[in-house]
Structure formats: C-alpha cells, structure tokens
Amino acid sequence: MVKNFVQRRLAAILAADVVGFSRLIGLDETGTLAALRQLRAELIDPRIGEHDGRLFKTMGDGLLVEFPSVVNAVACAVEIQRGMTAQNADLPSDRVIELRIGVNLGDVIIEGEDVLGDGVNVAARLEEIAPPGGVTVSSIVL
C-alpha cells in the first residue's frame, strides 16, 4: 500500500481584504480597480517582498501571503497599514481604500503553489474581525 505524502510546515499567514469593496466598485469600478493595482504595485507587493513573504492567492479584493517568520508577517502588516493611511490622506472620504488584516502562525499544507489548512483558515477569520485599517493577530502571535 502506497501512502500519499502531504507536505506540511509551520508558516505565518497574512490575510488581507478591502473594506467596503462592493461599495467602492459601485461608485467607480474602473477607478477602484486602477487604484488597487497601483496600491499593489507601489505599496503592498514591495512590502511583502521586503519581508520575505510569498503571495500565494488573490481573490478579487483580498490576498493571502505566507511568511517564514511571524515577526516578518506582523511587520509587513503594520507597514502596509501605515502606508495605506498615508495613501488615503488626500482622498475624499468616499474614495478611501482601507484594508483589514489578520495574521496567524499555524500548520499549513502545501499543494503546488497553494497553501491550505487551519493556519490559513484562522488568518482569514482574523481578517474578518479586524477593524478597518487595523491588524488582528492570533494569540500564538502575541
């Protein structure tokens, strides 16, 4: 009998999502998508790279990132949120783009380029309860 090998590892996962994405798209679909592309190119993706993160999934207005260190994941989250505050400073309040971010450290399963499992699920749940512009971390991260 041959057993299927499942690759597991401990990883820090950052989950981020745009607050009020549907409202922003409803106001200005083209402008919102262009602004998000610009934020990814100028702020989010560079911070991820600087902290040795690997973006493994995007979902419209959200993203999931794996880090080898929880310190790197939290530092990246804080820098992204600070950068978002600066980016939003001159925008009208109805055009402000805010993120919610959750960070968890947990066991994950690697399937090709994808990362799955409880470590990812908990990060996504933390992102859902994070305040707009904030970062929520699991107790293990503290």
Side-chain angles (χ1 to χ4, degrees):
M1 177 175 228
V2 177
K3 288 187 176 183
N4 289 335
F5 176 72
V6 176
Q7 183 183 358
R8 293 180 180 271
R9 68 174 168 240
L10 188 63
I13 304 295
L14 180 153
D17 191 61
V18 175
V19 176
F21 182 70
S22 296
R23 180 190 61 78
L24 290 166
I25 288 292
L27 286 173
D28 180 7
E29 183 178 54
T30 303
T32 298
L33 294 175
L36 287 174
R37 276 193 298 279
Q38 182 178 358
L39 284 168
R40 286 267 323 267
E42 295 177 6
L43 173 65
I44 298 169
D45 291 358
R47 295 303 87 71
I48 291 170
E50 288 168 10
H51 293 283
D52 298 321
R54 181 180 74 86
L55 178 67
F56 66 89
K57 188 176 286 180
T58 60
M59 303 88 48
D61 64 327
L63 50 89
L64 293 169
V65 185
E66 174 189 26
F67 292 87
S69 158
V70 74
V71 172
N72 290 29
V74 172
C76 181
V78 169
E79 288 182 24
I80 288 171
Q81 292 295 41
R82 285 182 179 154
M84 293 296 294
T85 299
Q87 292 282 338
N88 287 324
D90 297 328
L91 294 177
S93 62
D94 66 334
R95 302 293 179 171
V96 167
I97 296 176
E98 291 182 296
L99 298 178
R100 287 186 169 96
I101 298 178
V103 177
N104 183 46
L105 176 66
D107 194 39
V108 297
I109 297 170
I110 308 304
E111 283 190 1
E113 295 297 311
D114 204 359
V115 180
L116 310 161
D118 195 52
V120 177
N121 294 341
V122 171
R125 299 305 171 263
L126 292 168
E127 169 268 309
E128 291 173 355
I129 64 170
V135 179
T136 299
V137 300
S138 62
S139 60
I140 196 165
V141 170
L142 297 173

